[in-house]
Amino acid sequence: MRDLMSIAWAAKAAKADVARLGTDDKNRGLEAIACALEAHTAEILAANAADIEAGRANGLNEGLIDRLTLTEARIADIAEGCRQVAALPDPIGELLWQKTRPNGLKIGLKRVPMGVIGIIYEARPNVTVDAASLCFKAGSACILRGGKEAFHSSMCLTQLMRQALQQQGLPENAINLVEDTSRDSANEMMRLNGFLDVLIPRGGAGLIQAVVKNATVPVIETGTGNCHVYVDASADLNMAAKILVNAKCQRISVCNAAESLLVHQDIAAQFLPMAAKALAPDHVKLHGCPRTRQILGDTILPADESDYAREYLDYEISVKVVDNLDEAIAHINKYNTGHSECIVTESYASSQKFLEEIDAAAVYVNASTRFTDGFVFGFGAEIGISTQKLHARGPMGLEALTSQKYIIYGNGQVR
């Protein structure tokens, strides 16, 4: 087992080799990785089964088990993600602009690799491949530190990726997995100054805040998702019910799932029974405000401040009746995590006001919040959903994993 410092030195040594790779070489490596995952699906599933068995024995909830679980279809999707990343334009070397100054200097700005990117994540084995493929195409080496819950899966995936690169004559140390899953290794990774150029946490609120508060290396903060669906007075109610069910129930364990429903008072008496009926097949628990309980009855759990601020990651949702659009916007901006928000409305004016005033990375009109995803947005894969406003915001694809460099041509100018 390689210790963290051995991995850090290997990644640092490899970053120049990765940065020098041409687009064809990087795409060849990604195709080799995709083929390796497909060819070794049974091996990956066996490793994943060991993680799932251990997770259930340790009492992981169903949301986390779902995040942890790999299937043949999910592995196929991960491989397809690698191919989509390969098909994307290579951002490295792109000249963003160039202009000539009055003194004759030609100044340009181009995209360059980050160098070494660290990712700390939890029970999400797909992140192992998503992160590695994006970093590789973006010309950077990566150090991956997954959670202990997904260790066997992540280890198997990493070994396959490294072997695929090696067989293609490409630097295998472009992709590195920290095998020590203790808290000490996470803390040590947060302080790898001189080795990590950026650290990206991907997981629950506890992990993200621990990295933000304790890291001494630069951090890009990815977000938890307290996402809302607001049903406006003019909404198509059948559409609203379909969007709500998809946003809440299609996959409960993800950060772009809806955790709160807001309903305009003018249609609350009509829509709330529709919503409760639509959510009933999935046995969704509703935590409602007094007006919600007045309409749906006392069987609805009372909602308090903690419910409105909570990312359930379960078959639960908070519900509030609001007087108007302004109250809905104020409520969302108070309790959301800056991730994804939705309005269902037939009013153009309401949709534009919602788009302009909601403070979030992704804002939807008449569509489910579940679409906030790098794969869906056409990025091939994503490193995470950034909810901060510096460097990157929203699903982070290739361009978000690059830095910039000014290039200046002169003909003898001095100052």
Side-chain angles (χ1 to χ4, degrees):
M1 182 174 75
R2 295 191 300 169
D3 61 44
L4 180 57
M5 288 311 302
S6 296
I7 290 171
W9 279 110
K12 185 172 182 176
K15 75 175 184 179
D17 294 331
V18 182
R20 281 193 291 266
L21 292 176
T23 302
D24 290 344
D25 287 334
K26 290 187 285 188
N27 291 345
R28 178 165 52 87
L30 291 170
E31 175 61 28
I33 288 171
C35 291
L37 299 181
E38 292 169 338
H40 294 273
T41 294
E43 183 180 338
I44 297 168
L45 291 175
N48 185 242
D51 288 329
I52 293 171
E53 181 181 358
R56 292 193 188 281
N58 291 325
L60 287 185
N61 65 41
E62 286 306 306
L64 290 177
I65 291 292
D66 179 63
R67 286 188 174 190
L68 176 60
T69 300
L70 292 175
T71 63
E72 287 190 16
R74 288 184 181 180
I75 294 170
D77 284 344
I78 293 169
E80 174 60 21
C82 290
R83 293 192 172 103
Q84 286 199 16
V85 171
L88 293 171
D90 190 341
I92 300 304
E94 178 188 359
L95 186 64
L96 299 174
W97 56 259
Q98 183 169 301
K99 58 188 177 182
T100 302
R101 300 294 296 150
N103 63 1
L105 287 178
K106 291 183 178 180
I107 301 176
L109 183 66
K110 67 184 292 186
R111 293 192 188 278
V112 297
M114 285 277 194
V116 179
I117 299 172
I119 302 97
I120 294 182
Y121 53 104
E122 294 176 329
R124 297 285 291 272
N126 63 294
V127 175
T128 301
V129 181
D130 290 350
S133 63
L134 284 168
C135 291
F136 186 70
K137 181 67 180 268
S140 288
C142 66
I143 299 176
L144 311 172
R145 196 276 186 190
K148 63 180 183 296
E149 297 85 359
F151 175 75
H152 295 95
S153 306
S154 295
M155 192 66 190
C156 179
L157 292 167
T158 301
Q159 288 173 344
L160 290 171
M161 290 190 291
R162 286 171 60 88
Q163 289 169 8
L165 293 182
Q166 184 183 47
Q167 289 167 3
Q168 293 294 316
L170 300 169
E172 63 179 320
N173 284 330
I175 301 172
N176 304 275
L177 180 73
V178 178
E179 299 177 37
D180 178 2
T181 59
S182 69
R183 183 170 295 181
D184 288 343
S185 72
N187 290 334
E188 186 178 0
M189 191 169 171
M190 296 177 204
R191 297 188 291 271
L192 279 179
N193 297 77
F195 294 93
L196 286 183
D197 293 283
V198 67
L199 179 60
I200 304 170
R202 183 170 177 181
L207 169 66
I208 293 167
Q209 288 307 308
V211 173
V212 170
K213 292 177 180 177
N214 297 315
T216 58
V217 298
V219 172
I220 297 177
E221 182 177 354
T222 62
T224 54
N226 184 17
C227 306
H228 299 71
V229 173
Y230 166 58
V231 183
D232 196 29
S234 66
D236 178 325
L237 300 189
N238 289 321
M239 177 196 291
K242 290 179 181 178
I243 288 173
L244 173 64
V245 171
N246 180 263
K248 176 67 259 183
C249 303
Q250 195 258 346
R251 194 172 179 192
I252 59 168
S253 66
V254 290
C255 57
N256 57 21
E259 306 289 16
S260 189
L261 169 65
L262 303 180
V263 182
H264 193 289
Q265 64 176 355
D266 290 355
I267 48 91
Q270 183 180 359
F271 180 70
L272 283 176
M274 292 176 60
K277 182 178 180 180
L279 294 170
D282 290 294
H283 308 289
V284 178
K285 294 180 182 178
L286 276 60
H287 300 256
C289 68
R291 285 194 284 184
T292 299
R293 300 182 76 217
Q294 185 177 7
I295 294 169
L296 295 180
D298 292 341
T299 56
I300 302 301
L301 298 168
D304 57 25
E305 287 288 307
S306 65
D307 288 303
Y308 295 133
R310 185 175 173 189
E311 184 185 29
Y312 289 103
L313 300 177
D314 205 343
Y315 290 104
E316 298 184 64
I317 192 168
S318 65
V319 186
K320 183 177 176 64
V321 177
V322 295
D323 291 340
N324 49 47
L325 176 59
D326 286 331
E327 184 183 351
I329 291 172
H331 179 95
I332 291 171
N333 285 339
K334 179 179 179 180
Y335 292 105
N336 78 347
T337 52
H339 199 294
S340 302
E341 307 298 343
C342 163
I343 182 174
V344 185
T345 185
E346 294 298 299
S347 166
Y348 179 77
S350 293
S351 70
Q352 296 308 295
K353 182 178 177 67
F354 193 85
L355 288 171
E356 290 295 325
E357 297 185 17
I358 288 295
D359 187 8
V363 186
Y364 292 84
V365 176
N366 297 332
S368 170
T369 58
R370 284 285 288 114
F371 288 105
T372 306
D373 177 84
F375 189 91
V376 174
F377 277 22
F379 301 161
E382 69 181 38
I383 206 79
I385 310 291
S386 172
T387 54
Q388 65 183 36
K389 298 180 182 180
L390 291 177
H391 181 72
R393 195 180 193 194
M396 295 173 58
L398 286 175
E399 291 184 0
L401 294 179
T402 64
S403 186
Q404 299 173 349
K405 177 192 291 185
Y406 286 96
I407 54 173
I408 303 95
Y409 294 94
N411 55 4
Q413 288 90 341
V414 294
R415 184 178 180 183

